[in-house]
């Protein structure tokens, strides 16, 4: 469907969410790489005791869209924290906190 036919009369973009996509994929790990023309985000699921993380989804973005995604995530995190409180990220240097997985550092 082209963009012209996928817009309502009021100019809002309509989105179609196919049933096979609607349930989503759980990911607890992401690796981000880039070239001069694209950002590639691989979303993976790391499971304790398994030697490999399985990539569940790959999203390829133009640099402009990657920057828009960053801004949208920042805005939504701010809204989330205003409603539910701060999102806490454990300090890796704290001796009593053990990271959930022993994974080499990525760019995520």
């Amino acid at each position: 469907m082209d963009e012209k036919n996928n817009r309502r009369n009021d100019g809002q973009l309509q989105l179609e969410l196919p049933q096979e996509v609607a349930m989503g994929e759980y990911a607890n790990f992401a690796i981000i790489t880039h070239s001069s023309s694209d950002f590639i985000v691989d979303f993976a699921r790391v499971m304790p005791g398994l030697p490999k993380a399985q990539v569940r989804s790959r999203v390829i973005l133009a640099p402009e869209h990657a920057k828009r995604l960053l801004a949208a995530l920042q805005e939504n995190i701010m809204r989330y924290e205003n409603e539910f409180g701060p999102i806490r990220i454990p300090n890796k240097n704290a001796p009593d906190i053990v990271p959930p997985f022993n994974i080499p550092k990525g760019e995520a």
Side-chain angles (χ1 to χ4, degrees):
M1 188 180 287
D2 66 15
E3 187 175 320
K4 181 173 59 177
N5 291 334
N6 201 24
R7 290 193 182 267
R8 297 189 331 207
N9 291 337
D10 61 5
Q12 279 193 319
L13 180 66
Q14 295 181 33
L15 294 178
E16 181 179 337
L17 184 60
Q19 188 173 5
E20 63 272 11
V21 176
M23 291 300 293
E25 284 287 347
Y26 177 76
N28 58 5
F29 185 73
I31 297 175
I32 302 169
T33 56
H34 66 276
S35 68
S36 61
S37 58
D38 297 306
F39 278 78
I40 300 164
V41 186
D42 287 326
F43 293 96
R45 186 179 304 164
V46 177
M47 301 303 286
L50 296 181
K52 288 198 273 188
Q54 184 179 38
V55 173
R56 305 300 295 181
S57 182
R58 171 173 277 185
V59 178
I60 303 168
L61 303 157
E64 297 85 0
H65 290 126
K67 197 161 192 175
R68 286 184 184 110
L69 175 62
L70 173 64
L73 281 170
Q74 287 175 326
E75 180 181 332
N76 278 273
I77 287 172
M78 188 175 70
R79 288 180 185 175
Y80 176 96
E81 290 183 326
N82 285 338
E83 186 172 345
F84 301 107
I87 299 170
R88 300 189 197 291
I89 298 175
N91 181 352
K92 289 183 185 180
N93 298 325
D96 59 334
I97 297 173
V98 178
F101 309 110
N102 186 15
I103 300 171
K105 286 191 174 191
E107 294 183 64

